[in-house]
Amino acid sequence: MIAVITGDIINSQHTDPELWVPALKQLFEGWGRSSVDWELYRGDEFQVRTEPTNVFWNFLAIKSLVKKNENLDVRISMGIGDQSYVATKITQCQGSAFTYSGRGLETIKKEGSTFHITTPNEKLSRELMLTLKWASLEFDRWTPALAEVIYELVHHTEITQDELAKKLQVTQSSISQRIKRANFDLLKETDGFFREKMDNLA
């Protein structure tokens, strides 16, 4: 069982790619090898293979990284399933995880939403989609400042509020307020929920 995340950047054509492309590549490089485990293509689309248990946390990492930039957002489709054919490039691999992820992105574009998840279990897929819809009430309203804090907390799980305040050159109280406004504790609980569901699915 694997997870495949397929997505594209919203409003990329109106933004300098230097603001997000290098950062997105750096994020993906921490998850695997270029072309084999992840790939950026067609200018603003991407595909990444990851562990099912990490899928929501990785979703948050991508979402927050992109939304650190004013007027940028990202569509993300997650497919949980198998891999039946291994190729030298991830975009040439085959399997239900790739099919689910690709079709989910098509659904997102038709519906005008920004996320989708499909698993082999239809009931579980509905549960996870409902959870994402509730969570989206938080992450769809992130400002760049909130997204920046979320990204750092997701990407550097051991960082303290004092360390983060120094890194972002703001006060510790400002960091604390942003964490509360983003409901980060609830996002961590949601991640735990996803991990439990993925463990049971496997």
Side-chain angles (χ1 to χ4, degrees), residues 85-103:
Y85 176 73
V86 179
T88 55
K89 293 183 118 183
I90 187 173
T91 49
Q92 297 172 358
C93 293
Q94 299 288 325
S96 61
F98 295 90
T99 301
Y100 292 152
S101 186
R103 289 179 180 172

Side-chain angles (χ1 to χ4, degrees), residues 13 47 61 68-69 73 102-103 112 125 131 141 152 157 170 200:
Q13 65 272 31
Q47 190 163 73
K68 287 196 299 179
N69 301 280
D73 204 342
R103 289 179 180 172
S125 297
T131 302
R141 68 179 178 83
E152 293 296 335
T157 56
V170 297
N200 292 337

Side-chain angles (χ1 to χ4, degrees), residues 43-63:
D44 63 357
E45 297 185 16
F46 58 86
Q47 190 163 73
V48 189
R49 176 174 38 224
T50 186
E51 293 293 327
T53 51
N54 295 333
V55 72
F56 182 74
W57 202 244
N58 290 351
F59 167 89
L60 287 180
I62 298 170
K63 186 82 170 177

Side-chain angles (χ1 to χ4, degrees), residues 106-124:
E106 293 175 6
T107 298
I108 288 172
K109 291 178 178 179
K110 289 177 183 176
E111 295 179 348
S113 59
T114 59
F115 55 84
H116 198 275
I117 187 166
T118 310
T119 78
N121 185 310
E122 186 175 344
K123 181 181 178 183
L124 175 60

Side-chain angles (χ1 to χ4, degrees), residues 152-153 155-160 163:
E152 293 296 335
L153 291 171
H155 199 53
H156 306 287
T157 56
E158 301 301 321
I159 196 168
T160 67
E163 291 169 339

